[in-house]
Amino acid sequence: MSKYPVITGLLSYGMSGRIFHAPFLETNTRFKFKAVVERSKKQAKQRYPQVISYDSVDELLADPTIELVVVNTPNQTHFEYAEKALLQGKHVLIEKPCAATSMEVKALFDLGRKQGKQVMVFQNRRWDSDFKLVKQVIESGALGEISEFHVRFDRYRREKSAKLFKEINQPASGLTYDLGPHLLDQVISLFGKPKNSLKLTSIHREDSEVDDSFAYILTYDKGLTVFAHANLLVAQPLPAYVVHGTKGSFQKTRADVQEEQLDRGMWPTDPQFGLESVGQEGLLTVINKNNQKQIYYKEALKGNYKGLFNAVYEQLRKDKPYPITEEQVIWQMELLEKESWNR
């Protein structure tokens, strides 16, 4: 174990806590998983017998030993609980979306500076196996100057989510605030802030109160156009990533396995963790000097959300800047709250 592990509390043991946070806090020796909030069902101890299960957020925040609080409660509560944690002298790692508006996000970063505490946003999809490969291919220069980038996150879910906060017409609800932060963060991490943007949303599911489809068109210098889409009624998904450049093209399916592996109980320390199955390789097509196509199949890099937690640790213990920056989070939030063209 690290000599000075970051003592951490988790505000919920729902799906995100059980899958995306607790297993990494438990297996990463740089952290000590101290406590969790469970208002009714006390399930965390079944897997983490050492953890303290508090009945309320206020009880956990009153624990003086906890340094870092993971805010993974429903979207509309992120600002309230992150603010409370900061005022109690805790660092915060906030699930996406960080808040409901850019004004709230700016207020949290300002409060963090005032309190001398770090405000970090949980954007785990930067560590997906498929995205890591896309980033590697782009940065290798194999495609030349990038002219067009498509990123999609499609599902087929006609029924409403059991997570009612995602389905009620309230701040930070709907598909745009659910999957939009993932796609926009990936785009911003690759290309920065867009020059211009257009947002489109629509509703297709019966009796839905919130958007279940969205698309962003973003433009950058040198003619780069980015298309970011998500739709809950796609029975046959297209490639999740399509990239075109002056020297060739690349496409890749969304094939990261971490969420599925974690959901069935695999620990992040398992040698098979984060390894995509055979047959999901990316397709790289380049045009050589003789104007002939050359095709290569690129195996994805290993996905591992441990990289995000290591970045949190290095920010807190080594003062190494956290890679999801304040300005990137603000840019993302400004795009999320942008008025939709078709409303």
Side-chain angles (χ1 to χ4, degrees), residues 14-74:
M15 189 275 279
S16 74
R18 180 177 62 84
I19 293 177
F20 294 117
H21 298 288
F24 295 94
L25 295 174
E26 176 71 9
T27 59
N28 191 328
T29 59
R30 293 174 156 190
F31 293 84
K32 179 180 178 181
F33 183 20
K34 171 76 182 291
V36 63
V37 175
E38 296 178 286
R39 289 181 174 83
S40 53
K41 296 179 181 178
K42 300 291 186 177
Q43 298 178 328
K45 278 185 175 293
Q46 296 175 18
R47 200 173 199 206
Y48 308 100
Q50 83 289 352
V51 77
I52 299 170
S53 180
Y54 287 114
D55 294 329
S56 71
V57 170
D58 287 342
E59 284 182 305
L60 184 144
L61 295 182
D63 186 330
T65 67
I66 291 176
E67 304 170 74
L68 171 68
V69 171
V70 179
V71 181
N72 64 321
T73 50

Side-chain angles (χ1 to χ4, degrees), residues 161-220:
S161 172
K163 299 178 182 178
L164 294 180
F165 69 87
K166 293 184 177 184
E167 299 286 0
I168 298 172
N169 189 7
Q170 63 182 353
S173 64
L175 191 65
T176 303
Y177 279 83
D178 186 26
L179 297 182
H182 288 316
L183 303 188
L184 293 174
D185 179 69
Q186 289 182 337
V187 170
I188 288 169
S189 73
L190 289 172
F191 306 116
K193 183 180 182 180
K195 289 178 63 179
N196 299 291
S197 61
L198 175 66
K199 172 186 174 183
L200 303 97
T201 61
S202 54
I203 298 175
H204 300 285
R205 295 172 304 158
E206 186 176 357
D207 298 327
S208 179
E209 297 180 26
V210 297
D211 60 277
D212 48 33
S213 175
F214 71 80
Y216 282 88
I217 302 174
L218 311 173
T219 62
Y220 289 83

Side-chain angles (χ1 to χ4, degrees), residues 75-80 97-105 108 170-173 177 333-334 336-338:
N75 294 354
Q76 74 276 11
T77 67
H78 288 179
F79 176 79
E80 174 191 355
C98 178
T101 68
S102 57
M103 185 177 296
E104 289 182 346
V105 168
L108 289 176
Q170 63 182 353
S173 64
Y177 279 83
M333 187 55 59
E334 289 173 344
L336 288 173
E337 66 184 358
K338 183 180 178 68

